[in-house]
Amino acid sequence: MKPLLAENRTGWLVLAVLLLLILLPLGAVIIQVLLPGVFFGNLVFGDLSLLLEVFRRPLWLASLKNSVTLGVGTTITATLLGAALATLRSRWKFPTAKLLDLSVWLLIITPSFILAQGWVMFASANGLAKQWFGWTWLHGLIFQPVGLILVMTLSKFPLAYLTVYSALEWKVDQFRDAARLNGGSPWTVWRTVQAPLLFPAYCSGAMLVFMDTVGDFGLPASIATVFRFPTLPYSIYSALYTSPIRFDMAGVLSFYLVLLIALAMIVQMFAMRRARFDFLSSRATKSEAVKPRKGAVGLAVGNILLLGVVIGIPVGSNILMSFTASSGASLTLDHYRKLFMNNSVLREGFTHSLEIAAVAGIIGLIVGFLVAYVLTYSQFALRRVIDVISLVSLAVPGVVLGIGYIFIWNQKWLDSIGLLLYGTPWILVLASVAGAIPVITRIIVGAMAKVPHQLLSAAQMQGAGFTKRLTTILVPLLKGALVSAGLAAFGASVFDLAVTSILFPPNFMTLPVVINKAFEDLQFGYASAATIVGGGLVILIIGIVERLFKRKHNAPSSS
């Protein structure tokens, strides 16, 4: 009974933490709309008219329409591009193919506001495209809804690429061969056999792209400097940082943002339920790319051109702009000098971001480890609820989480018990932990799946308690996954613009806020230099920690 009691206690503890950090803020956003004034102002029962205001107020309606347009357009184009590239990559072997894989991961880990800033600096009216190439037409092409869909597509297609590429790991040629033997043309075979088998992967990739696009705060925040294109996330942010503060606007727009994501998840679940194919058998073999008889050079050239656009423009623009004088006529190091001046806010912002990310990474690692344990090994009755909450947290945009934290942690009565966290760095830590938990959990769950439950059972039979089993068996076996999960959460927390922009306390700057404010003030060179230095230092820190871990892990033990 004692082992079961310890597991149940862990399950209840994990559930309580997830409810506090994720479900309670999300619920607060919905409650604020259904019961206006429940958190701030005068409580009104049964008045749902505020929900319909989105169709009567021009800015609210434009934000909703723009988010839907951007989300649907990007989902279609990014899924098609990602699926096509994944199909080519899994089937053909060509030079520079590994560069495509590397670039995909680079796009995934690079914050969207940095990529968007690179596009703004390249395509703005007086940007690098005009200065270096004389392309005056590019500004009109990019800064319109279709152009923004293109920019977002080139940033989000890796989500579809990885999803479809993973589904192509196994090949089952007998279905294709059977269809060809029955007279099917290559197009008919792909349409009636291969495409249906990959349909679940297409749906999953499309859902990831849609959720990431409609919840993206970085692109509209960066585009706002040169082009007015309000979206739900950016209008929520604007509602909180205009005078007077519009909690009604922020709550309603957050409700519709959550509704869009919920609808996407429902559509995806319905599609998956109607399109399940268990096709793997003993005849299935690993897919291996083969060298085409002709066209390998064309594939390589096309890949280089693609990477030159998706990586070269946003990343290259940041690097080049950081060395470009304000006049644009010469190269300079002035922007880097300003970063290290005595009154520079970069050091303060970078230090704050590192501190918050480090604390959030450690706390998130502990909580994520326990969540993964409950999901993998325990018989906790509400284990399915924990799994659903952890999945939902992946889809909740940072701006929604941020406004939920304001509703929950900015109540006057909390001051009497010392828990008024709004306006303090601790609210950033809590929000960063909430954002880190789902990432950490998914990484550790995958690693725990390889550790047999029998090892824990054998230790239990030898008298090892719950804590001892975790620290002496699971932790040593999962060291690599724990380090990877912690570093992934650390890196993501450092550059979390959405949460820090909404929740950062007065006179408490963070790295992404410093970069974004410089960009909003049209200090493109300074913002780029801060991005290069800050990103480089974070990568250096992660690299050093990984190197130290590997050295310690591979060191011969002395007997």
Side-chain angles (χ1 to χ4, degrees), residues 400-452:
V400 175
L401 193 66
I403 190 175
Y405 270 63
I406 293 177
F407 290 153
I408 296 298
W409 297 105
N410 193 24
Q411 301 299 314
K412 292 182 179 179
W413 64 270
L414 291 174
D415 194 21
S416 61
I417 58 176
L419 289 178
L420 185 62
L421 301 184
Y422 183 69
T424 71
W426 283 107
I427 196 169
L428 290 176
V429 173
L430 286 184
S432 297
V433 170
I437 286 174
V439 177
I440 291 172
T441 300
R442 295 302 128 188
I443 293 176
I444 298 179
V445 162
M448 279 188 178
K450 302 176 183 178
V451 180

Side-chain angles (χ1 to χ4, degrees), residues 286-301:
K286 284 273 189 178
S287 296
E288 292 185 6
V290 297
K291 189 174 182 179
R293 295 180 180 178
K294 57 182 179 178
V297 175
L299 289 174
V301 172

